[in-house]
Amino acid sequence: MRDHWIPIFGFAMACLAMETRQTPAADKADPPNILFILTDDQGWPTLGCYGSHQVGTPNLDRLAVEGVRLTDAYVMPQCTPTRAALLTGQHTARYGMWHVIGWYGSPWAPVSEPMFREQLEPEACQLPHRLRSAGYATGMAGKWHLTTNQHGHYSHLRATSGDAFGFDSVAPPGPGSQNQGDKWVDHLTDCAIDFIRDNRERPWFYYLSHHTLHGELSAPDALVQKYLDAGAPKIGLHNATYLACIEHLDHSIGRLLNTLDELALSDNTLVVFLSDNGGVDSRFHVPESSLQVLAGEQPLVLRDEGFDNAPLRDGKGSVYEGGLRVPCLVRWPAKIPAGRAITAPVHVVDWLPTLASAAGSPVDEPTDGHDLLPLLTQPSGLHPLGPPRSLYWFMPLYDLRWASTPCAAIRKDAFKLIWFFGDRFDRSYRYQVGETVELYKLDSDISESQNLAQREPDRAASLKAELKDWIERMGAVIPKPNPHHDASRAFEETRDPSVVTSR
């Protein structure tokens, strides 16, 4: 186990210090305000309520005490795909935004990469549109990363395009770069608080999309120095800036919760806290020599480290749990019984039907997600809707900075199957050729260390068949061997899409 730098009492002390609220039934005629907080690259074990001993997170732990903590909340392994799935309510296999934008790819790799959607269409941004149609004031602040056109780019949606995407109000970008200072945490929090104050007399929805903890890491100097003085390293795993970013983010959550208390809005405000993908555990250099990597002679070379995702395997960009499973906290005192851990697996596509249902505007047409309100509001935390459902992921791309190769995955009950379409990197980050499946039993092997595919071939075959059927039903293309494969350039990355479109 890697060293811990800042011992804290964490979640246990928060539980002792805070009183669990009673949860009277909500008035159906009084829909909740909705505050959806999405952080960037924040790993599952970064919060005290998920077992962190690195840095205190008392305000986020408060959400867990006064609401619920989802232990098995899943997203996509990178930024754009998760954001697209959240706002459209559609799996990326259906909508096509399974890749980070702007465009980059590996057109000479052994397996072909299907083309992907590069722009979110305004009418597809269903979450704010639906809530606005239900009478909500809608707003957002922060990272956008869903268009590279006149509507906006990585750092923010342009205010002039807010209405087209369903937002009445869009906060301006902060001062300077989102990679400097405190990564706009205070600015974006101020914008959210102003919106809440301005709209406190009517139902409101606010999408607060932070840039932190995405690299380049940056935090207030005094906080960074605090962790340096405590012995945290300047760079590398659990570095002082990373820990300072977490503490500063937690402070901002406290400011938001205090504002809700001050305005007497806490009881009937549904707060959701979620990360867009797993934390940066290890990031690798894109190989300079494709031949050595392709032959298995040289593993991927480590570029930098951020925060250990243990006990989860790997991190951002990965199909393993460290890339997909993230912290998720939900509080709605008027409706959701407090202080529980919910173990039922949930997927990012579930939030559109869930929030629409909470707003009194349930989605009538078939959707890719499930309404989680029955799960969140019943006391036991067990899924009340019958047998466990399957969760799916489609990631048909190479991204060697995260040791990622084209694959798909399914989780059903405790079992998770990963289908690599033609190649993969093993635990030592050495290249392995050939289509393969891996099978893990997560309730007894959360670290995905024991591949059961050979031991349980029937289960593996059944899950693979179900996954294949799902991909085809989504209308997606299963990657095949690449007819343009060039061993000497196999892992060369290009940002020129004409290399592919001209073929």
Side-chain angles (χ1 to χ4, degrees):
M1 180 177 294
R2 289 159 165 165
D3 291 337
H4 297 304
W5 286 100
I6 311 297
I8 61 169
F9 290 103
F11 186 51
M13 289 301 294
C15 292
L16 292 174
M18 297 178 186
E19 182 177 331
T20 301
R21 299 187 182 190
Q22 298 299 313
T23 56
D27 183 355
K28 292 183 178 179
D30 189 17
N33 307 305
I34 299 171
L35 174 59
F36 199 103
I37 305 166
L38 188 69
T39 58
D40 200 335
D41 294 1
Q42 183 156 17
W44 191 73
T46 57
L47 309 184
C49 54
Y50 284 85
S52 174
H53 298 281
Q54 302 293 333
V55 56
T57 53
N59 296 294
L60 285 161
D61 294 348
R62 176 188 168 188
L63 281 178
V65 171
E66 297 177 352
V68 295
R69 175 174 62 94
L70 284 82
T71 65
D72 294 46
Y74 289 97
V75 291
M76 299 301 291
Q78 286 190 262
C79 305
T80 298
T82 289
R83 294 160 196 277
L86 169 67
L87 295 177
T88 66
Q90 296 182 39
H91 280 297
T92 55
R94 184 190 300 278
Y95 189 66
M97 293 194 81
W98 57 66
H99 200 292
V100 171
I101 57 172
W103 193 93
Y104 63 91
S106 302
W108 303 283
V111 176
S112 60
E113 295 176 302
M115 293 299 290
F116 53 90
R117 185 186 294 270
E118 296 184 60
Q119 311 294 341
L120 177 69
E121 298 299 324
E123 62 273 13
C125 193
Q126 279 296 302
L127 180 55
H129 277 301
R130 179 168 286 277
L131 292 175
R132 184 160 68 175
S133 69
Y136 277 67
T138 60
M140 79 155 290
K143 182 171 177 177
W144 178 236
H145 207 184
L146 288 166
T147 55
T148 58
N149 55 23
Q150 74 278 12
H151 296 305
H153 297 266
Y154 175 90
S155 63
H156 65 286
L157 173 66
R158 289 182 178 156
T160 52
S161 294
D163 180 67
F165 286 89
F167 294 107
D168 300 325
S169 170
V170 177
S177 166
Q178 77 279 359
N179 292 325
Q180 299 171 341
D182 74 341
K183 295 185 71 68
W184 296 352
V185 169
D186 282 344
H187 167 74
L188 299 178
T189 302
D190 289 343
C191 292
I193 289 172
D194 288 345
F195 178 90
I196 291 168
R197 291 187 185 281
D198 290 345
N199 292 280
R200 61 186 179 272
E201 301 298 332
R202 59 178 293 194
W204 51 262
F205 161 67
Y206 205 75
Y207 172 45
L208 175 55
S209 178
H210 279 295
H211 287 276
T212 201
L213 304 160
H214 194 286
E216 302 171 7
L217 294 174
S218 186
D221 292 341
L223 279 181
V224 176
Q225 190 62 48
K226 168 186 172 179
Y227 287 99
L228 288 171
D229 293 345
K234 187 174 183 179
I235 59 173
L237 196 68
H238 303 146
N239 65 76
T241 305
Y242 203 110
L243 301 183
C245 284
I246 296 174
E247 180 171 342
H248 186 57
L249 173 70
D250 186 75
H251 288 168
S252 77
I253 302 301
R255 292 176 57 209
L256 289 163
L257 299 183
N258 290 340
T259 298
L260 295 175
D261 289 343
E262 174 196 334
L263 299 175
L265 297 177
S266 294
D267 280 350
N268 200 35
T269 296
L270 172 55
V271 179
V272 181
F273 176 88
L274 185 71
S275 175
D276 68 347
N277 47 249
V280 176
D281 184 321
S282 300
R283 179 167 53 165
F284 302 94
H285 288 284
V286 176
E288 293 182 5
S289 171
S290 295
L291 288 175
Q292 284 182 301
V293 174
L294 199 65
E297 298 171 357
Q298 176 183 300
L300 295 175
V301 176
L302 184 67
R303 175 180 171 182
D304 53 42
E305 296 176 294
F307 197 100
D308 185 4
N309 281 319
L312 305 185
R313 179 173 172 179
D314 290 352
K316 176 178 178 174
S318 171
V319 69
Y320 297 107
E321 292 292 283
L324 302 175
R325 189 189 295 210
V326 295
C328 182
L329 307 171
V330 186
R331 189 189 77 168
W332 182 10
K335 190 73 173 178
I336 295 176
R340 296 171 300 136
I342 294 179
T343 60
V346 303
H347 197 288
V348 64
V349 295
D350 295 332
W351 289 111
L352 187 150
T354 300
L355 300 182
S357 177
S361 180
V363 179
D364 297 325
E365 64 273 14
T367 65
D368 289 336
H370 286 208
D371 179 3
L372 300 178
L373 280 188
L375 172 65
L376 296 170
T377 58
Q378 52 99 31
S380 70
L382 301 175
H383 206 294
L385 303 178
R389 61 181 172 128
S390 298
L391 274 59
Y392 308 97
W393 296 267
F394 184 58
M395 296 157 284
L397 66 139
Y398 287 91
D399 199 332
L400 271 66
R401 57 184 55 79
W402 314 117
S404 178
T405 60
C407 64
I410 176 174
R411 174 170 174 175
K412 190 170 189 177
D413 199 359
F415 287 92
K416 176 182 172 185
L417 178 128
I418 304 170
W419 177 14
F420 292 99
F421 297 124
D423 53 4
R424 63 187 175 88
F425 287 90
D426 64 19
R427 290 191 79 98
S428 64
Y429 304 108
R430 289 186 180 274
Y431 182 73
Q432 304 291 326
V433 68
E435 178 185 344
T436 189
V437 296
E438 296 179 1
L439 178 67
Y440 300 101
K441 194 171 188 294
L442 297 177
D443 58 354
S444 58
D445 182 23
I446 194 173
S447 300
E448 297 171 289
S449 61
Q450 299 295 320
N451 181 6
L452 304 176
Q454 297 300 318
R455 199 179 309 172
E456 298 198 40
D458 291 343
R459 187 187 302 274
S462 175
L463 288 173
K464 179 182 176 183
E466 181 180 343
L467 180 56
K468 181 176 183 292
D469 178 68
W470 172 79
I471 294 170
E472 292 172 345
R473 284 190 287 110
M474 290 292 104
V477 176
I478 296 175
K480 302 294 183 184
N482 184 2
H484 304 284
H485 172 49
D486 181 343
S488 67
R489 308 180 70 185
F491 300 124
E492 182 179 327
E493 191 175 273
T494 177
R495 294 187 177 272
D496 180 5
S498 67
V499 174
V500 176
T501 57
S502 63
R503 291 172 174 172

